Amino acid sequence: MAPTKTHPDFSIFIPTYNRAHTLARTLKSIQDSTYNNLEVIIIDDGSQDNTIDLVKTWQVTAPFPITYAWQENQGKHAAHNHALKLARGKLFITLDSDDSLLPDALKQLWKYWENIPQESREKFAGVAGICLDEEGRLSGDPYPKDFMDSNYLDIFRHYRMNGERREALRVEVLRKYPYPRFPGERHMRPTLILRRMAHEYMIRFTNTPVQINRHAPDGISANRFNYRFRNPQGFTLYYQEEITLHREHHLPKQLFRLHIQYLRFALHARIPIDEQKCHCWKRHWWYMALPKATSLYILDILKAKIRGIRR
């Protein structure tokens, strides 16, 4: 193993849960990186397979330092908070345990970061790139330019791009925005903290391909409804902030649809009616959005019952 660097440029966070069968491929992709000033932080979210044995082998043979920590199953957002406490790097990037880092990704991201004028860097949370699917195709839409300086709210308001992205963000900034946690819930929308920090920090968005993303049958992408149904407080908070903290970034029609989603999950989370009304932009919007929100809430209950999903 290479000597541990006190302050590596990148901390690569790998959250994992029963992924010993894919984790070696993920670590191998880091080993093949053309940029080696990095550390790896693996947070094991309660695995019951041989993940720890695999990691121990890699800790001996890998050309980069690997920090491993096990925790009771609490969800990726809790693992993210845990990893940030251990990170020693400048930029923090998430690499899921069934995905692969592209060889030149870190080199390109660091180049874009270094090209931000020194006097302007305090205004930036970091840099971002795009993702590819398993066939090597772009996962969604590219940015209109090779790189753009904006924030997470403005850029998607103006350009409405679809697809997966990956950010490399300053550790010191991320520590200011830990994921909130609710007892019994194991999921939080990843973009919640990105949208919060958009009020204070910019990101340099680039068309640099960063990762190959894969979607396991038991992963979040394939089981969106389950995660939404089982984590109502987290989704309520997400939509509450959309209609309050980020209200000015939405057009009226979109803002009204977000009110519907907020009320839908507020019903699941059993938020008192008076509290719901206080969060609405205009009080009468609560009355206007409630019928649709109630119908979605009832459909959720029926769908969960049919599928045998319990909280």
Side-chain angles (χ1 to χ4, degrees):
M1 184 178 71
T4 301
K5 297 179 175 64
T6 305
H7 296 291
D9 292 335
F10 288 94
S11 293
I12 301 179
F13 159 51
I14 303 178
T16 190
Y17 176 68
N18 291 336
R19 285 288 186 273
H21 58 291
T22 63
L23 184 56
R25 178 181 62 198
T26 301
L27 291 168
K28 177 63 164 58
S29 74
I30 300 173
Q31 183 173 279
D32 293 341
S33 173
T34 59
Y35 198 90
N36 59 16
N37 191 359
L38 61 90
E39 67 172 352
V40 170
I41 303 168
I42 299 174
I43 305 298
D44 188 340
D45 195 33
S47 293
Q48 299 173 353
D49 59 6
N50 65 324
T51 293
I52 188 170
D53 296 324
L54 175 70
V55 173
K56 284 181 178 178
T57 299
W58 272 86
Q59 284 178 317
V60 172
T61 62
F64 45 80
I66 299 176
T67 299
Y68 172 85
W70 190 94
Q71 64 180 32
E72 294 287 346
N73 185 247
Q74 301 169 58
K76 182 177 176 179
H77 65 304
H80 183 277
N81 291 349
H82 191 167
L84 275 172
K85 294 177 181 178
L86 303 174
R88 297 175 295 109
K90 177 74 172 181
L91 300 178
F92 185 95
I93 186 168
T94 299
L95 180 65
D96 288 341
S97 54
D98 47 5
D99 295 341
S100 298
L101 184 73
L102 291 167
D104 288 332
L106 300 184
K107 180 184 290 186
Q108 293 301 314
L109 290 175
W110 188 255
K111 180 186 73 173
Y112 276 111
W113 173 252
E114 288 283 277
N115 284 340
I116 298 173
Q118 187 71 40
E119 64 273 15
S120 301
R121 285 186 200 166
E122 282 302 310
K123 301 176 183 177
F124 283 80
V127 293
I130 55 179
C131 298
L132 307 180
D133 65 18
E134 292 185 69
E135 304 300 322
R137 298 169 301 199
L138 182 63
S139 178
D141 306 313
Y143 297 105
K145 300 178 183 178
D146 284 344
F147 75 89
M148 304 176 67
D149 294 340
S150 185
N151 64 62
Y152 207 87
L153 290 168
D154 284 343
I155 196 164
F156 291 103
R157 176 187 181 186
H158 293 304
Y159 296 105
R160 303 293 180 186
M161 292 169 291
N162 296 313
E164 297 182 84
R165 320 280 158 169
R166 187 61 74 227
E167 300 80 25
L169 303 175
R170 288 161 56 199
V171 169
E172 61 184 310
V173 171
L174 280 172
R175 284 177 176 158
K176 296 168 60 176
Y177 298 92
Y179 280 105
R181 297 182 58 195
F182 296 98
E185 296 200 2
R186 294 180 173 84
H187 180 69
M188 180 69 65
R189 292 192 71 164
T191 56
L192 181 134
I193 61 172
L194 293 170
R195 298 174 79 78
R196 284 181 173 183
M197 71 176 63
H199 294 272
E200 187 174 356
Y201 293 100
M202 300 174 68
I203 294 175
R204 175 155 289 187
F205 297 94
T206 80
N207 282 324
T208 297
V210 176
Q211 300 177 7
I212 296 175
N213 287 358
R214 300 176 178 88
H215 300 298
D218 59 345
I220 294 175
S221 297
N223 297 277
R224 287 189 178 92
F225 176 78
N226 297 30
Y227 281 90
R228 290 172 181 170
F229 187 77
R230 288 174 171 159
N231 301 279
Q233 294 181 88
F235 277 89
T236 300
L237 176 63
Y238 179 86
Y239 286 110
Q240 176 188 318
E241 293 190 358
E242 290 301 305
I243 65 175
T244 54
L245 185 62
H246 315 315
R247 180 183 299 155
E248 65 183 34
H249 294 273
H250 299 295
L251 298 172
K253 286 184 178 180
Q254 184 183 20
L255 184 60
F256 183 70
R257 289 195 293 269
L258 291 168
H259 274 71
I260 292 172
Q261 293 300 324
Y262 165 68
L263 293 181
R264 171 192 183 183
F265 288 103
L267 291 170
H268 282 296
R270 304 185 185 281
I271 303 298
I273 290 175
D274 287 344
E275 186 176 336
Q276 294 177 25
K277 290 180 179 179
C278 287
H279 291 144
C280 291
W281 180 36
K282 299 177 181 178
R283 205 169 183 85
H284 69 273
W285 278 36
W286 181 87
Y287 296 97
M288 294 170 60
L290 186 61
K292 179 64 175 178
T294 303
S295 67
L296 291 173
Y297 165 76
I298 293 172
L299 286 173
D300 289 341
I301 298 295
L302 293 174
K303 187 184 293 186
K305 186 174 182 180
I306 292 170
R307 297 184 181 183
I309 301 171
R310 296 181 180 180
R311 292 200 173 106

